[in-house]
Amino acid sequence: MAPLKREEALIEEFGYDDHFHDHHHGDKYQSNFVSHYIFSMDHKMIAKQFLITGMFWAIIGAVMSLIFRMQLGFPEESLAWLKPLLGKWITVNSEGIGTLQQDFYYALVTMHGTILVFFVLTAGLSGTFSNLLIPLMIGARDMASPLLNMLSYWFFFVSGTIMFASLFLSTGPFAGGWVAYPPLSALPQAMDGSGAGMTLWTISLVLLVVSLLLGGINYITTVLNLRTKGMSMWRLPLPIWAFFVTAILGLLSFPVLTSAFFLLMLDRGIGTSFYLSDIYIGGAALDHVGGSPILYQHLFWFLGHPEVYIIILPAFGIVSEVLSVNSRKPIFGYQAMVFSILAIAFLAFIVWAHHMFMSGINPFIANFFVIFTLIIAVPSAVKVFNWIATLYGGNIRFNPASLFAIGFVSMFISGGLTGIWLGNSALDIQLHDTYFVVAHFHIVMGVAAFFGMYSGIYHWFPKMYGRFMNDTLGKVHFWGTMIGAYCVFWPMHYLGMAGVPRRYYSFDSFQTFGHFDGMNKFITIAAIITFGFQLLFVINYFWSIWRGRKMTTKNPYNANTLEWTTPIEVGHGNWPGKLPTVQRWAYDYSKDGIDHISQVQPIMEGESVDH
């Protein structure tokens, strides 16, 4: 075959001129500090805003988990040293022994779940990588609507500010669980956190939904309308398929959550009875008659299960790309990967009631959800086998990005397998609301999604900042997190199989659970150590922005996708001249004796064509 031409020459020869820089000359992009860093309309800057805000929330959510883990692991130890931080929520007796108030324990558990699920793994993960990669990978100047994109971030920021403010209420933040089941969420007088804390919690999440819908509309429109010349849907890199389908899932499911919250506010504010019936407080009957808390569960979990895939699908896409680039092989089964994403998205909408096997639903109806819950394992398994096949026989580079991608596959397998047990309605009678559930979803949805996020951050950090993160610190971060996460969550399976219930403040009253003290101590110590490794990542991230090794070439990984054809310092509009024209799919690695062939390289004479 003829030698490959340089990418700049190919873009100049085959690219097309959309006259972007003619239209946007002069002062339009001579931005000042405020328009560049704060109210930016550049998708790359908005991605950084989402990421750094998500990191802030991840630290807060993690610290909350450490506080309640200390209560679970060392209930006999004094927590008086936390009083400067937690104030009245630590009660100190005459002997100086400090104990965590029970109401605040539930507030910590509630806010930990809310923050990690919605603010970090939904808004943080999708907001960062959809914004950063969609325009760059499809060959677009920016999002379809940069203004909506900016508003998407600021709705997220205001939402987070309101949630943060709720932590400082004298009655405490909402404490009825992150799923906010009635009646604790529907009656302001139910407990301290059910008053103003619950009101702020609801307002915050409704604003977050607005942010996610604005972002989702933008992502879908951009992928459908702004793909560069030659970029057919079957030439899209897998991350773009994942972000595209994730946005569709969010667009269809989050409005249902908003409707659930709307009815909840009516029950709270004007005395309706959508979710309430036959409630007694202090021996006195309330006026609410005819409602059903099960209605709320249906509405919540109709979002709640697609939400699991809204979190994990972006990680699927990131991992597919990182594994292919770092194993120097085409992704195995590209079309099967796309169809499995689409199958997961469809099935995600018809399995929600597997969260409700113990709520009294008809066992016959439960069978329907059992079948589809087990079927959803099939496209997930297709993806796992394809990742393993991609790695098999590859010339693998073991950098932090690829290690976290391989770790993601491990976590997704071990966490996903336990879902087969929980998806069985008969077994769920024993396992429901035990630590087995906590172990399952933290590994498969929490830790796995974080691994996908870390993989993406290490991989595309040079595209964000023009520098590399420290490789050695990245590998230490990986091994510490990998071992630590299994030490935290694997033992919880045994607790759950023994019937230890989740969300309990203390097990002192239960003689049967006394012999798990050692295991709870082990989990707590492992959690504290694992958190330390996350702080190492944060230090590495911010240190590398200013002090990291500089990029010297546009394409340091010898990757094929379009984001590596942009200049090292990417300006607004992404490409300084013409837009690239796509000639092939994104995964021509180790083909016909050539290490990698960029998407802008024309098909050569005598070359076999994959896509």
Side-chain angles (χ1 to χ4, degrees), residues 262-393:
F262 180 67
L263 300 183
L264 193 60
M265 294 308 282
L266 291 178
D267 275 12
R268 290 169 58 79
I270 63 172
T272 56
S273 301
F274 289 106
Y275 305 135
L276 299 169
S277 186
D278 306 318
I279 304 282
Y280 291 80
I281 292 187
L286 302 187
D287 293 335
H288 298 284
V289 174
S292 170
I294 303 300
L295 169 62
Y296 176 87
Q297 290 193 30
H298 279 294
L299 293 173
F300 181 88
W301 288 115
F302 189 82
L303 157 89
H305 203 76
E307 166 71 1
V308 172
Y309 293 101
I310 288 167
I311 287 171
I312 208 72
L313 280 179
F316 282 174
I318 290 165
V319 165
S320 299
E321 181 70 20
V322 170
L323 287 181
S324 182
V325 170
N326 287 295
S327 61
R328 312 313 295 158
K329 280 181 65 186
I331 191 76
F332 186 89
Y334 172 87
Q335 290 192 333
M337 290 297 244
V338 172
F339 284 124
S340 64
I341 289 174
L342 296 172
I344 286 169
F346 171 72
L347 290 166
F349 282 104
I350 53 174
V351 293
W352 78 90
H354 67 210
H355 297 269
M356 299 168 57
F357 288 149
M358 295 299 287
S359 67
I361 61 171
N362 185 317
F364 177 78
I365 298 293
N367 288 342
F368 171 88
F369 288 99
V370 170
I371 290 164
F372 284 106
T373 300
L374 298 180
I375 289 174
I376 207 167
V378 175
S380 304
V382 167
K383 300 192 84 61
V384 167
F385 284 121
N386 285 6
W387 287 322
I388 293 169
T390 302
L391 288 166
Y392 182 75

Side-chain angles (χ1 to χ4, degrees), residues 231-254:
M231 179 66 86
S232 67
M233 294 296 280
W234 287 113
R235 284 177 173 172
L236 286 175
L238 285 171
I240 305 305
W241 270 108
F243 303 147
F244 176 62
V245 173
T246 300
I248 294 170
L249 279 175
L251 221 56
L252 294 174
S253 60
F254 272 108

Side-chain angles (χ1 to χ4, degrees), residues 451-472:
F451 272 46
M453 184 191 266
Y454 286 141
S455 178
I457 293 169
Y458 282 110
H459 187 74
W460 281 288
F461 189 89
K463 189 43 56 185
M464 288 195 268
Y465 294 105
R467 293 175 183 266
F468 292 91
M469 291 179 74
N470 184 288
D471 224 41
T472 306

Side-chain angles (χ1 to χ4, degrees), residues 57-88:
W57 276 116
I59 291 169
I60 290 181
V63 168
M64 288 176 170
S65 71
L66 295 186
I67 295 170
F68 65 70
R69 272 309 327 170
M70 281 186 258
Q71 163 62 35
L72 289 167
F74 301 95
E76 71 286 348
E77 297 292 327
S78 171
L79 294 177
W81 58 278
L82 281 172
K83 192 163 180 66
L85 176 67
L86 299 181
K88 70 171 188 171

